[in-house]
């Protein structure tokens, strides 16, 4: 077999790309990673510890649920996890209260979900089974969870894909990596370097061409990388910006049946955790839910870092698309001020550092993560086929409950590598 046919090029140095590269290099393959950014990690985006007092996560932050691939990798890297503890609160426009409210129709929802056989969009599901006035709060809660947590559009999101999440009430265990996700990326990148993987940063792939039974990956700067196989791990919106061979282009049509959502994330570091001085006992507050412009906030509890992180996900983030980072930070401060009924100037007085990331504005992401429509499983099967020289991999192609997470990206990268090695 020629040296060129043994060479595999991976486009994207995020979790999926690094995981695939490590597995392939371990098996003796020659691997090159081409990454458009000047860093590895993709939508894992560590922020400076000098700015926030610890390596804050501007992108992915939590390890959701069992996440077996992630947890095994963390054990290998010697990176401990800190399970999320504390109390969840909500603000209803008048005051703060514990957020764990039982919906009187929860049993009815579970019964209908249990018997559901045919998939349909969440909004259609609610209109068909819970259209009455008495279900207004249930509909509202589900739609907000789909938009905020899953960054999805209820008019298109798959009910069956979200059923397990609803059945456990959204209470899957969550944890943070001590040192942040950036530490995990550093470990994977170090492993790749040690195995001889070439990682080329600042290389924006513009085209993939077939030439004489092989493929050539072309970068915007003119560099060309001949190889025997290409693995594309970039976010879905960016796949459409790369010129592809005819067979890969035909498969890519299926990506239209996979949703892709946006997230705005705001980090506010203060000189002290002033919210603990509020009238309620908020010393162990973790999540804080509201209907403000930036509706979801969380603390670092049980860590003592005086930081509030704001989150706004789903199609409604388009309402803030005109705002630059400073405008988003201002919107975050206004939201926090409204929740705690304090003047914005009082809150801003204790502000030490801040950052805001609208992932839709990131040129190498164009959004945050994927979500399933009723047609996504078939689309994933089409895109995952290894019947050509161009393969697709990443969090959007993971068929389990963890789609859209770092676990999904790692598992997909691993599965793609194993598929190549089996062939």
């Amino acid at each position: 077999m020629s040296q060129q046919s043994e060479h595999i090029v991976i486009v994207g140095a995020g979790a999926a790309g690094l995981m695939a590269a490590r597995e392939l290099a371990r098996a003796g393959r020659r691997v090159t990673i081409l990454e458009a950014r000047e860093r590895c990690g993709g939508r894992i985006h560590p922020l400076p510890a000098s700015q926030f007092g610890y390596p804050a996560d501007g992108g992915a932050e939590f390890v959701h649920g069992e996440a077996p691939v992630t947890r095994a990798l963390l054990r290998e890297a010697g990176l401990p996890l800190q399970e999320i503890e504390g109390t969840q609160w909500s603000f209803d426009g008048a005051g703060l209260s514990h957020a764990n409210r039982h919906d009187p129709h929860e049993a009815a929802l579970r019964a209908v979900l249990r018997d559901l056989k045919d998939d349909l969009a969440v909004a259609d599901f609610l209109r068909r089974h819970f259209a009455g006035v008495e279900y207004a709060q249930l509909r509202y809660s589900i739609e907000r969870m789909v938009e905020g947590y899953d960054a999805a559009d209820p008019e298109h999101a798959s009910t069956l894909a979200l059923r397990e999440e609803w059945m456990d009430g959204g209470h899957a265990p969550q944890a943070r990596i001590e040192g942040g996700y950036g530490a995990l990326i550093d470990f994977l990148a170090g492993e790749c370097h040690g195995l001889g993987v070439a990682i080329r940063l600042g290389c924006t792939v513009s085209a993939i061409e077939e030439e004489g039974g092989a493929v050539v990956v072309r970068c915007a700067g003119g560099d060309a990388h001949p190889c025997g196989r290409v693995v594309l791990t970039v976010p879905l919106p960016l796949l459409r910006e790369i010129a592809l061979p005819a067979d890969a282009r035909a498969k890519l049509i299926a990506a239209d049946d996979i949703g892709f959502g946006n997230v705005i994330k705001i980090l506010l570091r203060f000189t002290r955790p002033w919210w603990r001085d509020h009238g309620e006992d908020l010393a162990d507050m973790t999540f804080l839910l509201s209907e403000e412009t930036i509706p979801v906030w969380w603390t670092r509890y049980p860590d003592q870092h005086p930081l509030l992180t704001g989150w706004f996900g789903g199609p409604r983030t388009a309402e803030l698309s005109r705002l630059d980072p400073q405008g988003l930070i201002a919107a975050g401060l206004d939201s926090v001020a409204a929740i705690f009924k304090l003047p914005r100037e009082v809150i801003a007085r204790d502000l030490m550092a801040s950052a805001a990331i609208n992932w839709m504005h990131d040129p190498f992401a164009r959004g945050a993560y994927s979500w399933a429509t009723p047609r996504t499983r078939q689309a994933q099967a089409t895109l995952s086929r290894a019947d050509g020289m161009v393969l697709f991999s990443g969090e959007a192609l993971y068929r389990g409950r963890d789609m859209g997470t770092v676990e999904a990206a790692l598992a997909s990268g691993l599965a793609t590598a194993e598929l190549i090695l089996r062939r």
Side-chain angles (χ1 to χ4, degrees):
M1 187 175 290
S2 72
Q3 192 175 39
Q4 180 171 296
S5 65
E6 282 282 276
H7 182 205
I8 300 167
V9 169
I10 296 174
V11 181
L18 291 170
M19 192 68 170
R22 186 179 81 146
E23 192 72 8
L24 291 166
R26 277 178 163 179
R29 298 297 192 271
R30 178 186 165 212
V31 182
T32 297
I33 301 177
L34 303 177
E35 168 56 50
R37 302 178 191 273
E38 295 295 341
R39 61 171 179 84
C40 294
R43 287 164 281 173
I44 292 174
H45 180 28
L47 300 174
S50 59
Q51 186 177 3
F52 290 98
Y54 72 101
D57 290 301
E61 179 172 345
F62 298 104
V63 177
H64 301 279
E66 299 304 320
V69 178
T70 305
R71 290 174 185 263
L73 194 61
L74 290 170
R75 287 192 295 272
E76 186 181 344
L79 294 171
L81 276 172
Q82 183 180 68
E83 300 296 329
I84 301 301
E85 305 172 10
T87 307
Q88 182 169 294
W89 290 77
S90 65
F91 174 69
D92 61 5
L96 291 166
S97 62
H98 286 292
N100 298 324
R101 296 175 179 171
H102 176 74
D103 191 290
H105 305 294
E106 185 175 331
L109 173 66
R110 289 172 177 268
V112 175
L113 286 171
R114 205 162 25 240
D115 296 336
L116 191 65
K117 299 295 189 294
D118 298 321
D119 203 0
L120 68 167
V122 169
D124 289 335
F125 168 80
L126 294 174
R127 283 189 285 263
R128 181 177 300 182
H129 297 284
F130 298 98
V133 175
E134 69 273 24
Y135 298 119
Q137 183 56 45
L138 176 70
R139 291 195 301 272
Y140 181 82
S141 297
I142 288 175
E143 288 170 353
R144 285 293 176 265
M145 182 171 69
V146 170
E147 290 178 345
Y149 184 77
D150 300 291
D153 184 347
E155 293 292 341
H156 301 285
S158 161
T159 299
L160 289 182
L162 296 170
R163 175 166 59 182
E164 188 178 351
E165 179 183 316
W166 297 353
M167 292 294 275
D168 73 10
H171 298 311
Q174 296 190 86
R176 289 188 184 93
I177 302 169
E178 292 189 17
Y181 266 114
L184 184 61
I185 291 297
D186 290 343
F187 171 75
L188 271 178
E191 288 275 293
C192 287
H193 282 302
L195 291 163
V197 175
I199 301 178
R200 311 294 187 202
L201 302 178
C203 295
T204 303
V205 171
S206 58
I208 298 171
E209 302 168 354
E210 293 187 3
E211 292 182 2
V215 282
V216 177
V217 183
R218 301 194 182 278
C219 297
D223 292 343
H225 301 267
C227 59
R229 178 126 345 158
V230 181
V231 180
L232 285 164
T233 70
V234 301
L236 288 180
L238 301 185
L239 289 174
R240 300 176 179 88
E241 299 180 7
I242 300 173
L244 298 173
D247 58 342
R249 197 165 59 246
K251 283 202 294 187
L252 187 56
I253 294 172
D256 292 340
D257 291 330
I258 302 176
F260 193 77
N262 187 40
V263 163
I264 293 171
K265 194 171 183 182
I266 300 171
L267 293 88
L268 305 176
R269 181 191 181 190
F270 298 95
T271 57
R272 61 188 183 89
W274 52 263
W275 51 90
R276 295 181 185 174
D277 300 332
H278 205 263
E280 293 80 2
D281 182 11
L282 304 181
D284 68 343
M285 181 179 74
T286 51
F287 290 93
L288 174 57
L289 313 180
S290 75
E291 291 301 322
E292 297 303 316
T293 301
I294 307 300
V296 179
W297 293 88
W298 61 77
T299 69
R300 289 285 303 177
Y301 186 84
D303 280 353
Q304 300 304 307
H305 296 290
L307 187 110
L308 291 176
T309 298
W311 174 276
F312 185 24
R316 291 190 302 135
T317 57
E319 300 166 7
L320 302 184
S321 61
R322 71 188 188 283
L323 297 181
D324 62 8
Q326 286 306 311
L328 291 173
I329 291 166
L333 287 170
D334 285 338
S335 297
V336 172
I339 292 169
F340 288 97
K341 298 183 178 179
L342 292 170
R344 175 178 156 183
E345 310 80 63
V346 171
I347 293 174
R349 195 165 54 215
D350 286 324
L351 189 65
M352 287 181 63
S354 59
I357 304 98
N358 183 343
W359 282 96
M360 183 60 71
H361 291 170
D362 186 301
F364 302 121
R366 305 287 171 79
Y369 48 81
S370 303
W371 46 270
T373 74
R375 295 180 298 278
T376 286
R377 295 298 178 244
Q378 181 56 47
Q380 290 172 322
T382 298
L383 286 164
S384 297
R385 289 201 312 262
D387 52 2
M389 289 182 285
V390 179
L391 280 70
F392 299 93
S393 185
E395 50 86 11
L397 300 187
Y398 183 75
R399 301 185 211 186
R401 173 181 173 177
D402 293 320
M403 179 185 178
T405 65
V406 176
E407 169 71 11
L410 292 170
S412 179
L414 183 61
T416 302
E418 291 172 346
L419 186 63
I420 292 171
L421 295 173
R422 282 200 301 272
R423 288 172 61 89

